[in-house]
Structures are given as C-alpha cells and as structure tokens.
C-alpha cells in the first residue's frame, strides 16, 4: 500500500475539493545514486560533517523514542497531554526534545538550541516522570542516573527566553521535536517528523528529518534498494550545504541490524514543469479556495487552471512533512498563506528549507525573497514571510509567483 493510503481512501475529484488519489510519479529523473557509509559524502566535502553525524544519530534515537511512546499509547499504558493552546502533545514531544538537547549540549556545549517546547506544562502537572522514563536508556549520559531536573533543564535549554541572541550573527540548532503531532496521535499511519537543523551566521548549513512511519518504497524517490535488505517503515533524510539531500531507512526503530553498511540514496524533487499537472500540498487549516491560485483563469502555460483537475495530496500533518514530500519528489508544491492571527515558527521550516534546496527545489516568500530566519534578532523563534511561503520543485516557482502576484493584485 502506498505512503498516502494508510488512512481512508480518497476519491478522484475536481480541483476545488482537496483530495485526489496519487498516481505513480510521472517526472522521474534518470539519475540513480546509492552510497554505503555512515554519511553519504566524505568529511573533506562537508564542513559540518561532525555536526551532521551527531545530528543523524540523535534524531534516529529520538525517532525510536517516538515509536516506543506511540506503542505505549496504543496499548493504553501512556498518557496524551494537551497544551494550553489545545494542541495535542504527548510525552514524545518533550522526550524527544530532552534527549536531543542532552546529546547536543554534551557534544556542542557552546551552541544554543532553539526548540518548540518548554517544561512549564510538565512542571505544573507533575508529569515529568513519564518523560524521564521515555528518555532513560536512550540518552547517553554516562554512568549518571538521569534526574527530573536533568530532563526538565534539557527541555528548557531550547525553550523561550533560554538564550538571548542579539543582532550579531550566531550559530545555533533549530529543533522541532515532533512536527505533525496530530499525525503522531492518529490511529492510521499519518506522517510526522523529528526535524533538526544547524544555522551558522544566518545560513542553514545542515538538516536532518526523521520520519518513523514512512512506508513507501524508496525506489519511488529515484533510488534503488538492495533486494536482500529488509523493508519496513521509517526513513531519515539528511542535507548538507553543497552536498545534496539523501535518504536511508531507519532500521534501528525496527530492531533490525543490517549485515552491511547503511545504504544512502540521493533524493531529488520532481521534474514537473506545468502548473496544472503539479501535485500540491496545503496546510490542514487552509483550503484550496483560500489560496491565490484557486480561481486563476489563465496561467503562464496559457491553460485555464479552473478547467483542469488539480492534484491536491491527501492530508499529511505538519509543515515539515510537506517539505519532506517535496524534497523526496512526492509533491511538486507546498503552499502556506501567512495569517495575522497565526505566528510562523522557525522550527516548522528551517530543516525543510535546506532539504528542499539541496534536492533541487526552491523556497521563498510570496514576493520571491528568501526566508529571513534571523529576523527575530532576540530569540530566533519566528519568521515573517511576506504573503506566505512557497515551496516548489524549482521548475514551477517563478511561474507560480507570477500567478500569485497577478491574483493578489486584483484581490
């Protein structure tokens, strides 16, 4: 069964209804590249090779934590928490952030962490035990027994007000411990992602996305798997500036130890160049009608969009999940419209930006400008893209920007 078909099936529909069955990729690249190593490129080609190796290892362990917590939730032994903003959040969010913070703080103590959670909710509800239990055995903390304070302090290391950057360029990690928490909580295998990026002087230099329940055969991302390697859910996607975007299986979350080195596969965006044939992702909170292409009567292709069927992908929760879809060639475009009532957080985009860029795609605001991830000079936690964010395979980008501009000028 394909990646997007784990929930209830969706029908083929006309363009104003936001779901359509996904057919096999039509825009395949002939490039096939497989590499076996701890990372898919040598250290001399990657300035931040050491940091990327560490990021891969800790994201893998965080994915395992998420899988274990989800199993306990499904068995009825775990607890589902709810933050004050009514967003569902689980022990996995806090546990993944604590684990990653502990590891990065030990390996790179001078590099701050910008992350989604803080421990206030756990402290006020006496729920730290659940998170400590989830982290214990997965964080490398020497012979020392993890305490409540160790775990809560690790969470707060990435929380709001933990570090004041100022206007000077800085080096820091950006973490979303679980992007797509609603997907994590669903009974069906909706996608969710653990996302980690490193920013150096305003540039995103590396990124790692772990998706524990990705079911699709990696051959769909223009790669070929070895026939004697076991199949199963879970992938990890990595990018390093100038080195491309790569994917491998998350065997460790299945308790599988391959008999050969890890197999990395190069990932590329799709090659679609016609807007009306593109695959679109949109946020669950927004509709196709709310986006600026919904009633465009003419495009740069000279074709009326309204007369064509637009391929809107079935819902995959979270922004990073949609970046992953574009970077892996499953989707052509991801739209996000900025809204005054909703703040856009940097951790929902940072790692996705480099993964899409290095896979051959493009990310800008709706004016065509690069995202300024350091516009929040004090905390580096929010961004303010003009109009919204457009993520594409690159071929379609300028064309869609022209259509957005044309549509908005008459709004």
């Amino acid at each position: 069964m394909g990646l997007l078909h784990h929930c209830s099936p969706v029908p083929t529909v006309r363009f104003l209804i936001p779901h359509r069955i996904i057919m096999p990729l039509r825009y395949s690249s002939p490039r096939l590249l497989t590499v076996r190593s701890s990372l898919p490129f040598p250290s001399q080609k990657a300035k931040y090779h050491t940091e990327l190796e560490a990021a891969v290892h800790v994201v893998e362990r965080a994915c395992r934590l998420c899988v274990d917590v989800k199993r306990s939730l499904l068995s009825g032994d775990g607890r589902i928490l709810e933050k004050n903003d009514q967003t569902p959040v689980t022990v996995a969010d806090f546990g993944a952030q604590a684990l990653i913070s502990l590891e990065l703080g030990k390996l790179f103590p001078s590099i701050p962490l910008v992350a989604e959670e803080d421990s206030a909710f756990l402290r006020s509800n006496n729920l730290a035990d659940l998170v400590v239990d989830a982290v214990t055995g997965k964080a490398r903390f020497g012979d020392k027994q993890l305490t409540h304070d160790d775990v809560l302090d690790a969470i707060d290391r990435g929380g709001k007000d933990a570090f004041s950057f100022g206007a000077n360029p800085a080096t820091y990690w950006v973490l979303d411990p679980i992007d797509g928490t609603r997907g994590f909580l669903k009974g069906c295998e909706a996608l969710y992602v653990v996302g980690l990026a490193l920013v150096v002087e305003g540039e995103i230099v590396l990124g790692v996305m772990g998706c524990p329940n990705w079911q699709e055969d990696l051959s769909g991302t223009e790669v070929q798997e070895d026939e004697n390697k076991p199949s199963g859910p879970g992938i990890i996607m990595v990018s390093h500036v100038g080195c491309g975007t790569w994917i491998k299986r998350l065997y460790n979350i299945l308790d599988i130890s391959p008999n050969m080195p890890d197999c990395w596969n190069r990932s590329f965006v799709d090659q679609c160049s016609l807007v009306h044939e593109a695959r679109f992702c949109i946020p669950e909170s927004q509709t196709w009608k709310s986006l600026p292409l919904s009633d465009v009567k003419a495009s740069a292709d000279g074709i009326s969009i309204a007369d064509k069927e637009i391929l809107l992908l079935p819902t995959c929760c979270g922004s990073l999940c949609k970046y992953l879809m574009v970077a892996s060639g499953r989707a052509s475009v991801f739209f996000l419209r900025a809204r005054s009532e909703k703040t856009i957080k940097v951790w929902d985009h940072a790692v996705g930006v480099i993964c899409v860029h290095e896979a051959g795609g493009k990310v800008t605001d709706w004016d065509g400008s690069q995202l300024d991830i350091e516009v929040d000079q004090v905390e580096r936690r929010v961004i303010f893209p003009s109009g919204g964010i457009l993520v594409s395979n690159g071929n379609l980008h300028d064309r869609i920007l022209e259509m957005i501009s044309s549509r908005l000028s008459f709004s």
Side-chain angles (χ1 to χ4, degrees), residues 28-35 218-219 221-225 246 264-266 268:
S28 297
S29 166
R31 296 170 290 177
L32 299 174
L33 186 56
T34 301
V35 175
L218 290 184
S219 62
T221 55
E222 307 173 26
V223 298
Q224 292 178 330
E225 286 276 33
W246 299 75
W264 287 99
N265 303 283
R266 188 74 181 262
F268 301 97

Side-chain angles (χ1 to χ4, degrees), residues 65-85:
L65 182 151
C66 292
V67 170
D68 289 348
V69 170
K70 187 166 186 178
R71 285 172 180 164
S72 71
L73 290 171
L74 293 176
S75 68
D77 295 330
R79 295 184 61 180
I80 297 177
L81 314 181
E82 189 171 272
K83 291 187 290 190
N84 292 333
D85 62 359

Side-chain angles (χ1 to χ4, degrees), residues 336-394:
L336 174 67
R337 185 168 204 153
R339 296 179 295 177
S340 58
E341 70 276 13
K342 188 174 178 63
T343 303
I344 297 178
K345 301 297 178 62
V346 67
W347 49 78
D348 288 327
H349 300 276
V351 64
V353 170
I354 188 169
C355 287
V356 168
H357 280 168
E358 289 294 322
K362 192 171 183 179
V363 183
T364 70
D365 65 18
W366 286 11
D367 286 338
S369 300
Q370 291 187 359
L371 303 186
D372 184 355
I373 62 170
E374 294 197 323
V375 65
D376 176 7
Q377 294 185 351
V378 177
E379 296 180 339
R380 305 291 201 274
R381 299 177 70 82
V382 297
I383 56 178
F384 303 98
S386 178
I389 295 174
L390 174 62
V391 182
S392 83
N393 63 6

